[in-house]
């Protein structure tokens, strides 16, 4: 109920629409054949089909777009509480369930029309089934474990990294071979089920070429959560937080906190940049279990010292201060400017600046996503660079003309409205020929007349030969 309340609080975010949510809205309002025929965004295809069903039943408003994530994170909190209860007692379970939605990163994506909260819930359920499978050994539990894990991977392929965390747990806990064999069979089933999607999305890997090599700015609050989680693990080890189960709480939770993120960072530094914290959002499961379990052990340990209530009072005050320090983040996450961009504000700005017959250019082409949700704003404008619109081309952002034709189309237009990222996000400059030509032609032959900045995007008007 706490998580549900947190998720419903300010769910409309002042009517703003994050760019990735725009893509979800666009995809979920396409026809089933259009979604199946998609040549890009296949990694989210299963989620788009799910959201199409949600829209079909409940309508396609902002609340409907985000409510599945709110409900999913609420389920995740309940399941995390159940895991903590089973492994370390009711106090640990209660605290873990409460802490999960209070982490700002979890709160951010529980109010997002994307798959990340749903994946977190599915990974939590799979982890619960893993714990029960280790305890009870029933084959049906391992079958369900495979089904739930596969569903998580279909919603987002990087959920497969949660299986590496589970495997680490089995290794550290020295689980007997017959049980490990059942787990391996379940993982093999997931691998077979996800292989076709992995093959398709490998051919679409240029969709993530905007991701930069990770830096401290990419990690956000992850180091803080790791520090708190590792501290909780230390407390559990020192004060014996386990209850005689085959797997101790810290052995289950610490790999979930560390391993998926570490692997994604390793790939990003050595092979190709792929790290975005939301891709492995389910690491918050590990944080919540460790922090909740650690607090519960400290609370119990305080009963064994002479000054029990003063010690407990200090623990309550410190925990309260830590939580209170997150309140500004909780409030800011409900504002319209809390995400990287706001396509609703972009559409309003274009409507104010553009004139009938103006050309419009998107830098880079993914900024074209706004045209799918607010088509009435762009109806009187000419998309200068487009060859095929998103839906007919079976893509998220459309197909653009060859670079030489883009240049000719720009030069044949007297006044252009340009939508571009602003400020630059530290992401690699798009080197596709069309993007290079757009930048060069605008700089050489046009003059910037006006510019309006909204969250993450600049809407500028350009005139040829400087005649503003």
């Amino acid at each position: 109920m706490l998580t549900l309340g947190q998720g419903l609080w300010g769910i409309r975010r002042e009517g703003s629409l994050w760019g990735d949510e725009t893509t979800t809205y666009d995809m979920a309002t396409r026809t089933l054949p259009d979604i199946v025929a998609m040549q890009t965004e296949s990694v989210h295809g299963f989620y788009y089909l799910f959201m199409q069903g949600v829209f079909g039943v409940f309508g396609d408003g902002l609340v409907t777009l985000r409510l599945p994530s709110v409900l999913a994170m609420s389920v995740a909190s309940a399941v995390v509480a159940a895991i903590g209860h089973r492994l370390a007692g009711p106090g640990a379970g209660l605290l873990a369930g409460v802490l999960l939605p209070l982490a700002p990163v979890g709160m951010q994506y529980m109010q997002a029309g994307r798959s990340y909260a749903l994946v977190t819930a599915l990974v939590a359920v799979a982890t619960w089934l893993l714990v029960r499978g280790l305890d009870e050994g029933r084959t049906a539990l391992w079958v369900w474990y495979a089904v739930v894990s596969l569903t998580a991977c279909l919603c987002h392929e990087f959920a497969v990294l949660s299986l590496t965390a589970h495997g680490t747990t089995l290794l550290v806990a020295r689980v007997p071979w017959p049980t490990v064999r059942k787990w391996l069979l379940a993982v093999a089933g997931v691998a077979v089920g996800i292989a076709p999607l992995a093959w398709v999305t490998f051919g679409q890997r240029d969709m993530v070429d905007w991701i930069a090599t990770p830096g401290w700015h990419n990690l956000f609050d992850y180091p803080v959560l790791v520090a708190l989680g590792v501290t909780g693990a230390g407390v559990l080890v020192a004060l014996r937080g386990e209850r005689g189960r085959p797997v101790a709480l810290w052995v289950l939770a610490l790999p979930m906190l560390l391993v998926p993120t570490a692997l994604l960072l390793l790939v990003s530094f050595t092979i190709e940049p792929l790290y975005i914290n939301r891709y492995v959002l389910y690491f918050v499961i590990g944080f919540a279990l460790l922090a909740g379990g650690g607090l519960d052990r400290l609370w119990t340990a305080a009963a064994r010292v002479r000054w029990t209530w003063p010690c407990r009072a200090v623990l309550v005050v410190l925990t309260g201060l830590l939580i209170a320090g997150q309140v500004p983040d909780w409030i800011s996450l409900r504002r319209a400017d809390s995400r990287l961009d706001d396509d609703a504000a972009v559409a309003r700005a274009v409507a104010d600046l553009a004139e009938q017959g103006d050309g419009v250019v998107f830098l880079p082409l993914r900024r074209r996503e706004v045209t799918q949700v607010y088509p009435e704003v762009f109806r009187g404008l000419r998309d200068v660079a487009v060859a095929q619109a998103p839906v007919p081309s079976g893509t998220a952002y459309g197909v653009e003309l060859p670079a030489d034709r883009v240049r000719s189309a720009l030069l044949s237009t007297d006044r252009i409205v340009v939508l571009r990222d602003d400020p630059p996000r530290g992401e690699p400059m798009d080197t596709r020929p069309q993007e290079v030509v757009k930048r060069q032609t605008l700089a050489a032959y046009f003059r910037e007349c006006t510019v309006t900045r909204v969250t993450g995007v600049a809407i500028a008007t350009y005139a040829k030969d400087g005649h503003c």
Side-chain angles (χ1 to χ4, degrees):
M1 294 305 295
L2 172 68
T3 310
L4 185 62
Q6 285 275 23
L8 294 176
W9 169 31
I11 190 172
R12 293 185 58 82
R13 293 204 308 269
E14 302 173 0
S16 62
L17 190 65
W18 175 37
D20 281 15
E21 293 179 306
T22 299
T23 303
T24 297
Y25 187 95
D26 169 28
M27 296 297 172
T29 52
R30 296 188 187 189
T31 66
L32 180 59
D34 285 337
I35 295 177
V36 173
M38 278 290 295
Q39 300 174 31
T40 60
E41 289 283 317
S42 295
V43 67
H44 300 290
F46 189 84
Y47 174 70
Y48 294 147
L49 290 172
F50 166 73
M51 287 304 299
Q52 186 189 57
V54 171
F55 281 4
V57 175
F58 300 104
D60 56 5
L62 268 181
V63 174
T64 309
L65 178 68
R66 293 169 183 155
L67 190 58
S69 292
V70 174
L71 297 175
M73 196 62 82
S74 301
V75 169
S77 294
V79 175
V80 164
I83 295 171
H85 187 172
R86 189 178 185 100
L87 296 182
L94 176 64
L95 288 167
V98 166
L99 288 172
L100 183 73
L102 299 186
V105 66
M107 192 174 296
Q108 179 177 5
Y109 293 109
M110 83 165 73
Q111 282 193 338
R114 296 296 276 174
S115 64
Y116 311 115
L118 181 59
V119 170
T120 300
L122 290 166
V123 170
V125 173
T127 304
W128 164 246
L129 291 167
L130 175 74
V131 170
R132 289 192 59 190
L134 294 174
D135 267 359
E136 303 169 27
R138 290 190 288 124
T139 301
L141 291 170
W142 293 107
V143 172
W144 278 111
Y145 172 82
V147 170
V148 173
S149 297
L150 176 59
T151 305
C153 294
L154 291 173
C155 287
H156 196 284
E157 281 175 273
F158 287 173
V160 73
L161 295 177
S162 67
L163 300 178
T164 66
H166 292 163
T168 304
T169 293
L170 300 187
L171 183 65
V172 173
R174 298 180 181 178
V175 172
W177 169 247
T179 302
V180 173
R181 186 170 61 85
K182 291 180 180 180
W183 178 79
L184 287 173
L185 287 172
V187 171
V190 174
V192 170
I194 200 66
L197 179 62
W199 176 261
V200 171
T201 54
F202 181 77
Q204 300 173 359
R205 60 191 182 278
D206 60 332
M207 292 295 294
V208 292
D209 61 7
W210 55 270
I211 300 178
T213 302
W216 284 108
H217 67 285
N218 298 100
L219 295 176
F220 300 102
D221 56 357
Y222 180 67
V224 175
L225 297 181
V226 167
L228 293 172
V230 170
T231 301
V235 170
L236 286 167
V237 172
L239 300 179
R240 296 183 180 179
E242 73 278 1
R243 303 180 65 197
R245 296 288 182 181
V247 174
L249 179 64
W250 72 269
V251 176
L252 178 78
L254 195 58
M256 187 63 71
L257 175 63
L258 299 178
V259 173
T261 301
L263 287 176
L264 196 55
L265 285 170
L266 180 64
V267 169
S268 297
F269 281 117
T270 60
I271 301 175
E272 182 179 357
L274 291 173
Y275 176 78
I276 299 291
N277 68 337
R278 58 183 178 267
Y279 292 172
V280 285
L281 178 64
Y282 47 85
F283 74 78
V284 296
I285 296 170
F287 157 73
L289 287 169
L290 292 170
L295 283 173
D296 178 62
R297 286 292 93 193
L298 287 173
W299 181 265
T300 303
R304 296 196 286 266
V305 301
R306 183 176 180 181
W307 302 99
T308 296
W309 289 109
C311 289
R312 285 183 167 178
V314 169
L315 187 61
V316 169
V317 169
L318 291 176
T319 304
L321 289 174
L322 185 63
I323 292 175
Q326 307 303 316
V327 172
D329 285 335
W330 301 345
I331 295 172
S332 68
L333 286 171
R334 272 75 186 180
R335 296 203 308 257
D337 61 355
S338 62
R339 302 309 192 266
L340 288 174
D341 47 29
D342 177 5
D343 279 345
V346 169
R348 290 193 296 270
V350 172
D352 290 340
L353 289 173
E355 300 175 0
Q356 285 290 109
D358 282 351
V360 61
V361 167
F362 302 92
L363 276 172
L365 83 163
R366 57 184 165 80
R367 294 258 63 95
R368 188 175 283 109
E369 65 197 3
V370 68
T371 64
Q372 296 298 106
V373 181
Y374 302 98
E376 68 283 354
V377 173
F378 295 87
R379 194 159 287 133
L381 307 180
R382 183 169 66 90
D383 193 337
V384 175
V386 74
Q388 279 188 293
V391 175
S393 64
T395 63
Y397 313 124
V399 175
E400 297 199 328
L401 297 165
D404 57 338
R405 292 183 60 191
V406 169
R407 183 178 185 276
S408 300
L410 283 168
L411 293 176
S412 66
T413 308
D414 293 326
R415 190 173 184 271
I416 298 174
V417 178
V418 177
L419 280 66
R420 64 173 187 252
D421 290 345
D422 183 79
R425 302 176 183 175
E427 298 164 358
M429 186 72 75
D430 197 318
T431 58
R432 278 175 283 201
Q434 292 94 330
E435 304 297 341
V436 174
V437 164
K438 291 177 199 174
R439 294 193 295 267
Q440 291 177 345
T441 306
L442 287 170
Y445 297 98
F446 289 81
R447 175 183 172 187
E448 185 178 274
C449 300
T450 64
V451 60
T452 299
R453 289 179 168 85
V454 297
T455 304
V457 181
I459 302 94
T461 58
Y462 282 77
K464 194 165 60 175
D465 301 324
H467 296 141
C468 291

